[in-house]
Amino acid sequence: MDMEGRLAAIRSRIEAACRRSGRQPEEVTIIAVTKYTSLETAEAVLAAGLTNIGENRWQDVKPKWEAIGDRAVWHFIGSLQTNKVKDVIGKFPYIHSLDRLSLAEELNRKAKALGLAPVECFIQLNVSGEESKHGLGPEGLDEFAGQLAELPYIHVTGLMTMAPLEGGSDSARPVFRRLRELRDQLNAKRILPYAIHDLSMGMSGDFETAVEEGATYIRLGTVLVGSQS
Ligand SMILES: *Cc1c(COP(=O)(O)O)cnc(C)c1O
């Protein structure tokens, strides 16, 4: 199947998940995860009508970013070392992996120094509690959000998580549901001076469950780019 065919199949699965959960497909944005793939694959994603691209390492994405530039909206989805902020700042308007204050302070400092708009960040939470997972423990969310509220060049777009690799939708669903509840609780407590809306959750193996539980951004790699390189 080609890119158009795979995308059509994905869209109909999103539509079905929306019907099951009383949502609208327009509420769900696909981020095409093109990590490990070539510039040609990224171009095929854009030609198929997607505009949001997710990547996780600057060294790998650099040639794609330089060729594509602002024809795509770039999402940084990998864990970000503080000393790599200089590479991605101004190039990736969305950072999905904000999980610690030192990283937030560096993003804030660099964005300010460069005169950029506030960086749109997702707070990455380790909801499943797996040790192998990056992300902040949910118990630290309120304090962290309070610290972020003090940084004028950080804007919290929403929350991000990854479901356990094993266990399919049975183990993914409670993780996704919890992320939604954490968002709602954070808004109810008014720790940030604005309400947050977005939930970045769901990958190739669990995106329908994520949509049913309220995902607004799903991050799709293999199901979309297939075995292309
Ligand atoms: C690789 C990756 C994805 C996409 O994974 P697939 O299972 O291939 O869809 C999504 N999110 C993050 C954070 C990733 O690293």
Side-chain angles (χ1 to χ4, degrees):
M1 216 192 293
D2 63 4
M3 188 72 73
E4 276 79 9
R6 285 192 297 266
L7 182 57
I10 290 166
R11 286 205 198 281
S12 65
R13 290 169 65 184
I14 293 172
E15 281 164 22
C18 284
R19 274 196 301 277
R20 291 195 292 276
S21 53
R23 302 187 65 208
Q24 300 300 321
E26 302 75 46
E27 298 167 20
V28 183
T29 298
I30 298 171
I31 299 173
V33 177
T34 54
K35 65 183 186 191
Y36 315 137
T37 73
S38 63
L39 173 59
E40 287 65 37
T41 300
E43 290 285 7
V45 160
L46 297 176
L50 297 176
T51 49
N52 291 273
I53 290 189
E55 286 274 349
N56 67 346
R57 279 161 58 100
W58 173 244
Q59 303 94 290
D60 299 338
V61 69
K62 191 169 183 282
K64 283 180 248 181
W65 192 90
E66 284 169 352
I68 292 172
D70 63 10
R71 287 188 289 127
V73 177
W74 297 88
H75 297 254
F76 197 85
I77 62 168
S79 65
L80 184 55
Q81 288 172 264
T82 306
N83 65 1
K84 299 283 166 58
V85 165
K86 61 179 185 320
D87 296 332
V88 302
I89 190 86
K91 301 189 179 79
F92 287 76
Y94 292 92
I95 306 286
H96 289 244
S97 49
L98 184 61
D99 60 357
R100 60 193 191 281
L101 185 59
S102 57
L103 176 59
E105 287 173 340
E106 180 65 3
L107 286 163
N108 186 71
R109 204 172 65 78
K110 284 275 193 300
K112 181 179 184 195
L114 294 169
L116 300 174
V119 186
E120 296 290 345
C121 294
F122 290 83
I123 300 174
Q124 183 173 357
L125 292 171
N126 180 353
V127 176
S128 67
E130 288 176 293
E131 277 182 28
S132 59
K133 288 263 187 299
H134 290 281
L136 179 74
E139 68 286 349
L141 176 59
D142 290 358
E143 184 188 7
F144 189 44
Q147 292 164 333
L148 296 180
E150 305 293 317
L151 300 176
Y153 288 85
I154 299 289
H155 184 266
V156 180
T157 314
L159 305 180
M160 180 275 212
T161 199
M162 292 170 80
L165 284 177
E166 309 286 329
S169 73
D170 284 351
S171 58
R173 189 177 302 280
V175 168
F176 295 151
R177 184 169 297 168
R178 182 96 179 95
L179 198 73
R180 170 161 49 86
E181 291 167 355
L182 287 165
R183 177 199 63 188
D184 295 344
Q185 288 163 9
L186 189 66
N187 286 336
K189 291 182 207 163
R190 297 177 187 274
I191 293 172
L192 289 163
Y194 45 84
I196 62 171
H197 171 66
D198 286 311
L199 296 174
S200 169
M201 58 189 195
M203 309 181 7
S204 290
D206 53 25
F207 71 91
E208 290 150 298
T209 308
V211 168
E212 289 170 12
E213 294 299 332
T216 64
Y217 285 94
I218 56 177
R219 308 178 308 267
L220 302 183
T222 41
V223 72
L224 180 66
V225 300
S227 54
Q228 298 186 42
S229 62

